[in-house]
Amino acid sequence: MGSGHNCRQSTPRSCSEVCKHHSRSGSYRIDPDGEGLLAPFTVYCDMNDKEGVGQTVIGHDSESRKLVRGCNRRGGYLRDTHYTGASLSQLASLTKVPLTL
């Protein structure tokens, strides 16, 4: 018999929420849409940048610079970016999390 309290710990919605319980930078699972349809995913939380509020870092395949020759017009070069560990729907849900939780 329980005390009626729910001991289930919910997954943090962003690194800012992770920062409330962990002070060390590292990989953490977050769930931006809470109990919504999207699965939680792993991100890197930088607890040292942005005055220690917990910055969410998403990896992608376009980290290095690319020299493009013959393209002088600003904005005239396009490149696909593939994010690692999260779908575009998951990333979009991250943009909807309030800045202060």
Side-chain angles (χ1 to χ4, degrees):
M1 302 232 149
S3 63
H5 294 287
N6 186 352
C7 294
R8 184 173 164 256
Q9 186 175 2
S10 63
T11 304
R13 295 183 65 195
S14 71
C15 288
S16 292
E17 207 170 281
V18 170
C19 188
K20 293 177 182 177
H21 305 286
H22 303 279
S23 61
R24 198 171 261 166
S25 294
S27 294
Y28 294 92
R29 289 186 62 75
I30 62 169
D31 191 5
D33 75 334
E35 297 296 320
L37 298 175
L38 299 172
F41 56 99
T42 302
V43 297
Y44 183 81
C45 295
D46 184 346
M47 305 304 190
N48 301 314
D49 200 14
K50 302 287 184 188
E51 299 178 9
V53 297
Q55 182 175 3
T56 304
V57 181
I58 308 292
H60 57 81
D61 66 351
S62 298
E63 297 288 338
S64 60
R65 291 181 174 212
K66 176 80 173 164
L67 176 62
V68 179
R69 296 182 191 278
C71 184
N72 298 323
R73 186 172 54 97
R74 185 177 185 161
Y77 171 75
L78 298 175
R79 179 177 179 174
D80 287 335
T81 301
H82 303 278
Y83 293 93
T84 54
S87 69
L88 287 179
S89 295
Q90 289 169 313
L91 296 176
S93 71
L94 184 57
T95 67
K96 296 174 184 158
V97 174
L99 293 177
T100 55
L101 294 171

